[in-house]
């Protein structure tokens, strides 16, 4: 196991930030660690990376206990903290060489160059960190986390605060480094998990509420069927509710979002209804799943 968390509780004074959390992450997995703000994600990651002691429970990384063998744990993992603290006055290479020095990496100049190529910092490599956009600073953060070629990467909200293009670039980068490493990344974006992760662990208010392969979570979402349909003429909610299987109907701009509770596909019934009522259908598509909704259900307080 790359990461083993057993019955971990963390209290900040009287506040319980984590309550009896257990999970494990196998070698090579890419796991999304999800939860709303304040759920305890960063706290859990700080415990795994030896930055904070837990109040109770056990945590091991690649078999090494975080309390008994913190140096061995740190050698096995790379960490990109949430507020990626970087020395803005330092040059990228200078900073990476400095971090490499802490890990006593041999041939550091060559290693830094390798990382600059890997994370896509070639064009920016002569700049100071303070002169970089947030997306490029995240790349520096990733390079820093990977400098000692760790087996495990802990990434705390690596895409938060980036623009849509940067988000896609960083996701691609994580996916590609994830081919060779165990990755645990926190996010509050469900689509991100869908795009990158094999498995999802969801916490809410310090409690573990789900631990499932991403595909299974999607199936759970598919308990409800949703069809988005645009009719050519006017139609009322009551009319729509008369269609076989329809439980809910809500208007959204010029479209209707029609839902059933069962797994049945409503499209055929809607089509027949339109024909019988001489209505024209301009658009119709099925929303196969909505992971965002599952996340909301699991984490509503
Ligand atoms: P997340 O990363 O999921 O947003 P955090 O782990 O940062 O959540 O925080 C979980 C809870 O613990 C929050 O209620 C937060 O206010 C509290 N907390 C986090 N760090 C500290 C700290 N150093 N001292 C006191 N409370 C903290
Ligand atoms: Mg956090």
């Amino acid at each position: 196991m790359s990461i083993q968390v057993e019955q971990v509780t963390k209290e900040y004074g009287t506040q319980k930030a984590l309550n009896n959390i257990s999970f494990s992450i196998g070698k090579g997995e890419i796991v999304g660690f999800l939860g709303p703000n304040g759920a305890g994600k960063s706290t859990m990651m700080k415990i795994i990376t030896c930055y904070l002691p837990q109040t109770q429970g056990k945590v091991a990384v690649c078999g090494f206990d975080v309390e008994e063998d913190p140096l061995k744990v740190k050698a096995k993992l790379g960490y990109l903290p949430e507020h990626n603290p970087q020395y803005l006055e330092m040059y990228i290479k200078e900073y990476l060489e400095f971090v490499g020095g802490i890990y006593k990496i041999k041939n550091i100049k060559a290693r830094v160059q390798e990382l600059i190529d890997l994370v896509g910092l070639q064009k920016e490599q002569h700049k100071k960190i303070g002169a970089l956009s947030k997306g490029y600073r995240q790349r520096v953060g990733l390079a820093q986390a990977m400098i000692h070629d760790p087996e495990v990467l802990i990434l705390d909200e690596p895409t938060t605060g980036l623009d849509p293009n940067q988000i896609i670039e960083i996701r691609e980068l994580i996916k590609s480094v994830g081919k060779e490493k165990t990755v645990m990344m926190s996010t509050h974006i469900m689509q991100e998990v869908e795009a990158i992760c094999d498995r999802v662990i969801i916490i809410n208010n310090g409690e573990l509420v789900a631990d499932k392969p991403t595909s299974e979570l999607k199936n759970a979402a598919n308990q409800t069927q949703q069809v988005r349909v645009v009719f050519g003429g006017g139609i009322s909610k009551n009319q729509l509710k008369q269609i076989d299987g329809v439980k809910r109907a809500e208007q959204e701009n010029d479209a209707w979002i029609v839902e059933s509770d069962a797994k049945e596909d409503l499209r055929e019934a809607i089509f027949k209804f339109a024909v019988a009522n001489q209505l024209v259908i301009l658009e119709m598509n099925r929303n196969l799943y909505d992971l965002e909704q599952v996340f909301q259900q699991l984490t509503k307080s």
Side-chain angles (χ1 to χ4, degrees), residues 80-86 95 137-142 144:
L80 176 65
E82 185 173 19
H83 303 290
N84 187 13
Q86 286 172 358
Y95 170 66
R137 281 187 207 178
Q138 281 304 66
R139 289 171 196 250
V140 177
L142 274 171
Q144 163 275 129

Side-chain angles (χ1 to χ4, degrees), residues 12 15 17 36-43 82:
Y12 292 113
Q15 189 197 354
N37 284 328
K41 303 181 294 296
S42 297
T43 300
E82 185 173 19

